[in-house]
């Protein structure tokens, strides 16, 4: 809370410590005379019932149970204890978040469950049964340009449920996109009713863990989740208007598309950049994901014929950048022409960063290429997906350069994907689900 400049009062409770991070420490809850809005419990499960009874005297409205080792253990006694905790909280009119959850990250309010999480406000709301999964989505997503706002790790969800949280984010004006990672539900109908309402207002992306028999078994021991049949889950999510993802990377890719490529209105792509191999792979990926590749229109062929007549009948969509070498026709100028044509609905630009690495003055060349690409995209109205690979090289100077240039692209709010396969798969799903929801 120090890191996020929380403006409210904080009252650490510990039987022995006197000072924690500059905050005065209290030995017990009864030593605090001020009103408390949220109590966060990190004590053992066996001590929670006594804590709730003590909380009744303070009229505390919310209790976040970071405390775990309850129903997720599979132990009958632990399940009974969790039910006892729930019933005690209800009798005390205390709402429970958790147990076994990391809690709330909302930088704008100064609340966070880790000091290294993003400290700026965004418009993506995230619900996650898993705390570590929430951290991974936050850190990796932020590195790719996503901006998260309200993030809630709700663990077992014994009281405040996924349905209730989804209903809240669906009505929240600050939240424009909702992402959910869940392993199961105790009250499925309530959730899917909330999904239909939320998805009618804004995109809802759901990654369902526990799709397989092994995954379902792991989910039960992780968050006490009842995983259910995957086919039923996917069908229900689609019918509710949500997007289905199966991996963390799929979730991040789709959030990138929804955040930065949502203006795609059709399936006609202009694909430019990379060598012949990338062009062939792009063509395969586009067709497999029902993305059309219209040929260059006559008007562009005429311009090519005037400036580089030897290429007139050679250049096709996808454009093999290698054949442009020495022609005086750059991939950026060709991409600009294609993006300004009514023939296409969106663009895909391959940076082809590996080509630069083995050449003299690689840094200046790659930086120039990325800067020109940024200028080209900003000069056009169509959305563009940028293909820029992951940093996989043994040479340290190349790793630094690749990371630096990726950050340059991302800081310009471009939709950057590590491979053509992931970009086209994501755009294909974006187009397909948009049609399903109409």
């Amino acid at each position: 809370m120090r890191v996020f400049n929380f403006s409210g009062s904080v009252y650490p409770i510990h039987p022995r410590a006197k000072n924690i991070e500059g905050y005065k420490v209290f030995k017990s809850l009864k030593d605090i005379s001020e009103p408390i809005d949220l109590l966060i419990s990190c004590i053992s499960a066996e001590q929670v019932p006594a804590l709730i009874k003590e909380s009744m005297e303070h009229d505390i409205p919310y209790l976040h149970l970071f405390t775990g080792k309850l129903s997720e253990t599979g132990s009958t006694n632990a399940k009974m204890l969790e039910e006892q905790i729930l019933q005690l909280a209800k009798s005390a009119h205390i709402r429970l978040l958790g147990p076994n959850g990391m809690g709330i990250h909302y930088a704008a309010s100064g609340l966070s469950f880790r000091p290294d999480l993003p400290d700026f406000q965004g418009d993506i709301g995230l619900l996650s049964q898993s705390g570590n999964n929430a951290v991974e989505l936050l850190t990796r997503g932020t590195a790719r340009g996503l901006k998260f706002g309200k993030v809630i790790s709700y663990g077992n969800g014994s009281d405040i449920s996924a349905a209730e949280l989804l209903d809240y984010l669906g009505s929240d004006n600050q939240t424009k996109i909702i992402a959910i990672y869940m392993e199961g539900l105790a009250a499925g109908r309530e959730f899917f009713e909330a999904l239909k309402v939320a998805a009618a207002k804004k995109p809802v992306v759901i990654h369902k863990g526990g799709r397989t028999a092994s995954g379902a078994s792991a989910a039960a021991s992780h968050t006490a989740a009842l995983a259910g049949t995957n086919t039923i889950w996917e069908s229900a999510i689609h019918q509710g208007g949500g997007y289905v993802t199966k991996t963390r990377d799929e979730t991040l890719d789709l959030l990138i598309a929804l955040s930065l490529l949502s203006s795609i209105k059709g399936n006609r792509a202009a694909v430019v950049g990379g060598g012949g191999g990338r062009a062939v792979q792009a063509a395969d990926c586009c067709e497999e994901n029902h993305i059309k590749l219209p040929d260059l229109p006559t008007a562009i062929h005429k311009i090519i014929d005037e400036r580089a007549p030897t290429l007139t009948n050679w250049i096709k969509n996808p454009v093999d950048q290698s054949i442009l070498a020495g022609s005086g026709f750059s991939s950026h100028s060709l991409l600009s022409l294609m993006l300004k044509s009514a023939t296409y609905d969106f663009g895909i630009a391959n940076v082809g960063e590996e080509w630069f690495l083995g050449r003299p003055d690689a840094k200046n060349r790659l930086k120039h290429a990325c800067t020109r690409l940024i200028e080209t995209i900003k000069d056009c109205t169509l959305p563009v997906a940028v293909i820029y690979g992951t940093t996989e090289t043994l040479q340290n100077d190349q790793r630094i350069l690749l990371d630096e240039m990726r950050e340059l692209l991302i800081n310009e709010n471009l939709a950057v994907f590590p491979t053509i396969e992931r970009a086209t798969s994501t755009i294909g799903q974006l187009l397909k689900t948009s049609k399903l929801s109409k």
Side-chain angles (χ1 to χ4, degrees), residues 3-166:
V3 173
F4 287 86
N5 298 314
F6 179 68
S7 60
S9 299
V10 179
Y11 308 105
I13 299 172
H14 192 278
R16 293 180 300 278
K18 296 184 182 296
N19 185 286
I20 297 177
E21 294 293 325
Y23 292 112
K24 176 185 175 182
V25 177
F26 297 82
K27 289 187 177 181
S28 70
L29 190 58
K30 65 182 179 182
D31 294 327
I32 303 172
S33 59
E34 300 298 321
I36 297 171
D37 299 308
L38 171 65
L39 178 62
I40 301 174
S41 166
C42 303
I43 61 177
S44 65
E46 293 77 12
Q47 295 175 292
V48 173
L51 177 65
I52 293 176
K53 292 175 182 177
E54 195 174 349
S55 301
M56 294 173 67
E57 300 175 9
H58 264 75
D59 198 25
I60 296 173
Y62 294 98
L63 170 60
H64 161 216
L65 290 177
F66 177 73
T67 301
K69 294 186 178 180
L70 286 159
S71 60
E72 75 275 9
T73 65
S75 162
T76 301
N77 289 338
K79 291 179 181 179
M80 291 173 61
L81 177 57
E82 184 170 319
E83 181 60 26
Q84 178 193 358
I85 290 170
L86 176 59
Q87 295 307 319
L88 278 171
K90 285 183 175 180
S91 67
H93 304 290
I94 297 173
R95 298 304 308 275
L96 294 180
L97 179 62
N100 188 33
M102 296 286 279
I104 299 169
H105 168 79
Y106 181 31
S109 72
L111 286 175
S112 184
F113 46 78
R114 274 179 49 154
D116 58 341
L117 296 180
D119 61 355
F120 49 82
Q121 172 66 14
D123 59 10
I124 300 176
L126 171 61
L127 305 178
S128 178
Q129 278 194 276
S130 165
N132 280 336
N133 187 78
V135 171
E136 289 178 5
L137 285 168
L138 269 167
T139 54
R140 294 173 184 269
T142 301
R144 290 185 61 186
L146 295 175
K147 295 178 174 61
F148 292 88
K150 296 169 183 176
V151 179
I152 306 167
S153 164
Y154 61 93
N156 297 0
S158 65
D159 178 27
I160 298 177
S161 66
E164 192 172 351
L165 294 169
L166 176 56

Side-chain angles (χ1 to χ4, degrees), residues 45 54 96 98 106 243 262 265-266 306 373 391 417 427:
E54 195 174 349
L96 294 180
Y106 181 31
Y243 294 85
S262 61
K265 302 304 180 186
E306 293 171 0
L373 178 59
T391 302
F417 296 86
I427 293 170

